[in-house]
Amino acid sequence: MPQAPDISVHIVAYRSHETIGRCLAALEAQTVRPGEVLVLENGSPDGERVTASDLPDWVTFIESDTNLGFAAGNNRLVEKSSGRWVVFLNPDAFARPDWIEQLAAAIERYPDIALFGSTQYSAERPDLLDGAGDVYHAAGLAYRAAYMRPISLLPEEGEVFGPCGAAAMVRRDVFEALNGFDESFFCYNEDVDLAFRARLFGHRAVQLRDAAVDHMGYASSGRRSEFATYHGVRNRIWVFARDMPGWLFPVLAPFHIIANLALWGASARQGQFGLYGRAVRDALADWPRLMRERRGLQAARTVKPSVFARMMCWNSRALLTREPDIRPVQR
C-alpha cells in the first residue's frame, strides 16, 4: 500500500463511540495511507468513550480523563506526531478513498501553500454539500461556505480565507510558529482564528475540490445546543477583537456590533436570548487580555491592513446565502 509518510492525521474524539469505527475504516481504505493516525479520547462520559480495544493496532491512542476541547486536544496530538504536515479530521468525518492521495498531490502542486481545505459532503444527505472552505465576512462573521447547498454548486479549486477544521491540513512549521490552536477558545472558531493569524503572516489557504470527506457535523455537540451557541458567539467576538488588523478594526467595529445585535435579537426565536447575552458578557470580560494579545500579534504581522482587506468577503448577499468565496491561486 503506498504511503504518504509526511502526513499525520489527528482525531479528537468526544462522545464519538458511534462514529469512530466508520471514520477509521475510511482511513484504512485509502489508496494512499497516511504516515500515522493519532486518536485522542477527550474525556467523554461513560458509555460514550472510545477505548484502545475499539481501535486497530495502527492507531496511536491517547486518553484524557477530562475534556480538553477541540483546540487543546489537537495541540496535544500534534505534540505526539511527527509528520511535516498535520491533518485534522473530525471523528464524524469519513474520508473518501483517495482523500490522502489528493492531499499529497496538493502538497506537490502548491509548494508555497501552507493550509489546505477539503470538500465536505453531507453524510446524511449525499445530494448536499456540508462545506467548501471558511469565508470571513468584513462584518466579523465567519461562515462555512456552501453549507447544505446542492452539490451542483461546488466551486472549482482555489484560494479561500481558511480551511474548515473538520478536514484540514496545515504545514507543521506554520502551525507551530502560530503556537497551534488558541486553547482559550476550547471549541468553535479556533480554526477561523488559526487561519486568520496565518493570513496575517502572509500564508495562504487553498480549498481542494477533489480531496473530499462525508461529514455528519455537530455529532458531538448539536448545532443549536447551548454549548455550540455560547462558544460560537464568544469566540467570534474574540477573533474580531484580537485579529482584525490596523485601521480595519475601528472602521469595521460598528458593523461587527450591529451584526451581533441583530443575531442577538434573532436568538430569541430559539429561546437563547439570555445565553447569547452571557456569551457577549464573557467575551467582553476578557477585553484586557485580548488587547494585550492584540498588541503583540499586530506588532508582529507582516501583512498590511489594505492587503488583508482583499482577503475578506464584502458581499452581504453572500453572507446570507453562504456563497463560496473561492479565488484563483496566485503563483
Side-chain angles (χ1 to χ4, degrees), residues 2-326:
Q3 190 177 47
D6 285 343
I7 294 178
S8 299
V9 177
H10 309 78
I11 304 170
V12 173
Y14 179 74
R15 304 180 67 182
S16 304
H17 188 267
E18 297 300 318
T19 62
I20 192 67
R22 181 178 172 186
C23 176
L24 294 175
L27 289 176
E28 190 168 23
Q30 293 292 298
T31 56
V32 173
R33 299 283 292 276
E36 57 184 342
V37 176
L38 300 90
V39 172
L40 170 70
E41 165 45 58
N42 199 25
S44 303
D46 290 342
E48 298 180 276
R49 296 179 66 85
V50 173
T51 66
S53 61
D54 297 321
L55 309 179
D57 57 9
W58 46 267
V59 172
T60 299
F61 180 61
I62 302 169
E63 194 167 12
S64 173
D65 291 332
T66 59
N67 186 351
L68 304 175
F70 181 89
N74 271 304
N75 286 348
R76 298 293 89 75
L77 286 177
V78 172
E79 291 170 359
K80 301 290 185 180
S81 67
S82 59
R84 192 168 70 91
W85 289 88
V86 294
V87 173
F88 304 105
L89 182 66
N90 278 11
D92 59 358
F94 316 118
R96 296 199 169 181
D98 63 345
W99 182 56
I100 296 295
E101 183 178 356
Q102 293 291 344
L103 293 178
I107 293 170
E108 300 298 323
R109 191 160 66 250
Y110 299 109
D112 57 342
I113 299 297
L115 301 93
F116 292 94
S118 306
T119 295
Q120 296 168 206
Y121 294 93
S122 170
E124 296 97 340
R125 292 281 306 276
D127 59 323
L128 298 179
L129 293 166
D130 180 76
D134 284 346
V135 180
Y136 195 85
H137 190 271
L141 304 178
Y143 66 89
R144 193 192 308 170
Y147 179 68
M148 294 294 105
R149 301 297 299 279
I151 60 174
S152 60
L153 298 181
L154 178 64
E156 294 298 320
E157 182 169 291
E159 189 168 338
V160 70
F161 183 84
C164 175
M169 180 169 70
V170 183
R171 205 171 68 219
R172 176 181 291 274
D173 63 329
V174 172
F175 186 79
E176 292 178 344
L178 295 170
N179 295 315
F181 291 116
D182 185 334
E183 298 184 8
S184 66
F185 280 55
F186 194 80
C187 190
Y188 294 108
N189 281 299
E190 70 291 305
D191 52 350
V192 176
D193 170 69
L194 182 78
F196 206 129
R197 290 185 285 122
R199 301 307 297 264
L200 289 176
F201 288 94
H203 300 294
R204 295 183 293 153
V206 166
Q207 181 69 16
L208 301 171
R209 180 186 175 100
D210 296 330
V213 302
D214 296 296
H215 185 218
M216 292 179 65
Y218 301 98
S220 297
S221 62
R223 185 184 179 196
R224 299 290 185 188
S225 70
E226 292 189 1
F227 178 90
T229 297
Y230 174 85
H231 287 86
V233 172
R234 185 197 66 177
N235 296 352
R236 177 173 66 226
I237 296 172
W238 282 357
V239 170
F240 181 87
R242 185 182 63 180
D243 298 350
M244 187 61 70
W247 56 264
L248 285 170
F249 178 57
V251 168
L252 297 178
F255 299 97
H256 186 59
I257 293 170
I258 291 170
N260 272 290
L261 289 174
L263 292 170
W264 193 351
S267 71
R269 291 198 298 270
Q270 283 81 43
Q272 295 184 330
F273 187 84
L275 175 66
Y276 198 111
R278 289 196 297 275
V280 172
R281 179 201 64 194
D282 291 349
L284 297 179
D286 256 351
W287 198 257
R289 174 185 68 84
L290 291 172
M291 292 301 101
R292 286 195 304 272
E293 294 178 357
R294 174 180 174 80
R295 287 191 290 271
L297 176 63
Q298 301 302 330
R301 64 174 165 82
T302 60
V303 169
K304 296 179 180 179
S306 58
V307 174
F308 189 86
R310 296 195 289 271
M311 301 177 187
M312 296 187 290
C313 172
W314 295 78
N315 187 328
S316 297
R317 182 182 60 83
L319 174 63
L320 294 173
T321 61
R322 293 180 175 263
E323 183 176 324
D325 186 10
I326 306 292

